[in-house]
Amino acid sequence: MEKRCDSPILEISGLSVSFQMYDNTFGRKDLQVISDLHMRVYAGEMLAVVGSSGSGKSLLASAILGILPKNAAVDGVMRYCGQNLTPAPQRRLRGNGIALVPQSVEFLDPLMRVGTQVDGHGKRPVKEGRDRGQSRRKIFQRLGLPRATERCYPFQLSGGMARRVLVSTALIQDAQLIVADEPTPGMGADQAREALRLFRAIADDGKAVILITHDLDLALAFADRIAVFYAGMMVETADASDFQNGQGGINMLRHPYSRALCRALPQNQFEPVAGFQPYAGSLPKGCPFAPRCSYRSQRCEQKTPPVRSLRGGEVRCFCADATL
């Protein structure tokens, strides 16, 4: 069992991730997909990471676990309970101190029964194995998985059932940090909310949860804070309450993209913002959101804004004060 730790459980400073690529002429280039990321996740907290597809959310999960492809280069500092997350500690902590709920159901072993996979590999003392089996059955029941699921192989499960099994593999572990990468697609609304209730309960028990999701509404119902990704940058971190309508409401948000993301929700009439998120290989100079931003200035188009504290949150924007 990993040593318990004081908050923050995870601290990231200046994280950048790039991939070594080759063009059509076999010229080598570095494609940067995450840039200068700063993030803290505290004990007892659920932090939701939201943003468009291709913004780097899932790559963040892989960077934390140390499971990026071999052509990836990682700069910056990551600390788990104050310990530097270099490759050796990452290998030791995977599945112990840090648990991953992967995005793809292909992470399930096709040749192993589901119950065995959730309980974990290796022989255990009889009592420990019995206790773990009881814990698994309770989790299965809460997630709406029939008891017979434990005898199934992954190919016998529906997509939604397979995702719930993946959630179970993380929930049953005594990890201090759970990274859940899009854990709810394919689940019904009630099943998704029950999965998030379980993650919420884990956070309330003093652990930390990073929820990577496209479902902002679901995140708002359970998360303490929301971190907004755009084109490989974390542009804002704010309390979940800042995303709510009503008194203060969206006006508390600091970054123009955060406001645009919130106004695009169904209850806000799908209000669109012109343009598209840039591809990692063609990022504009300066702020990546500047071409779409009505508040942009010449400085925004020339220089990348630093992270700064503002109104109880953090933002990467020169014009955040002007958005009130």
Side-chain angles (χ1 to χ4, degrees), residues 11 19 21 89 130 165 202 213 223 234 242-243 253 296 320 324:
E11 185 172 12
F19 290 95
M21 311 288 286
R130 187 183 302 117
V165 168
I202 285 175
T213 182
M234 192 172 290
D242 291 353
F243 286 77
L253 295 175
R296 68 181 179 272
L324 280 172

Side-chain angles (χ1 to χ4, degrees), residues 32-34 51-59 214 229-233 277-280 283:
Q32 188 154 319
V33 291
I34 292 180
S52 303
S53 296
S55 59
K57 304 186 301 298
S58 293
L59 287 172
H214 284 94
F229 261 53
Y230 186 82
M233 290 186 182
Q277 176 179 263
Y279 172 63
L283 293 177

Side-chain angles (χ1 to χ4, degrees), residues 28-104:
R28 195 178 75 180
K29 63 178 181 179
D30 290 328
L31 183 69
Q32 188 154 319
V33 291
I34 292 180
S35 303
D36 191 28
L37 188 146
H38 300 262
M39 187 175 80
R40 295 179 301 278
V41 190
Y42 294 90
E45 178 182 48
M46 180 186 291
L47 174 70
V49 178
V50 302
S52 303
S53 296
S55 59
K57 304 186 301 298
S58 293
L59 287 172
L60 170 63
S62 296
I64 293 170
L65 272 294
I67 54 174
L68 288 164
K70 291 184 179 180
N71 66 327
V74 179
D75 292 317
V77 177
M78 294 186 288
R79 293 188 179 92
Y80 169 84
C81 297
Q83 175 187 13
N84 283 343
L85 271 183
T86 52
Q90 284 174 321
R91 286 192 296 271
R92 179 174 57 84
L93 289 165
R94 281 198 295 266
N96 295 299
I98 305 175
L100 173 67
V101 181
Q103 184 176 138
S104 174

Side-chain angles (χ1 to χ4, degrees), residues 249-287:
I250 299 175
N251 290 330
M252 280 297 296
L253 295 175
R254 300 143 194 82
H255 199 281
Y257 176 65
S258 301
R259 292 189 177 191
L261 194 64
C262 201
R263 289 179 176 135
L265 293 173
Q267 61 267 34
N268 296 325
Q269 290 75 50
F270 293 110
E271 184 179 328
V273 60
F276 300 91
Q277 176 179 263
Y279 172 63
S282 57
L283 293 177
K285 186 177 181 181
C287 174

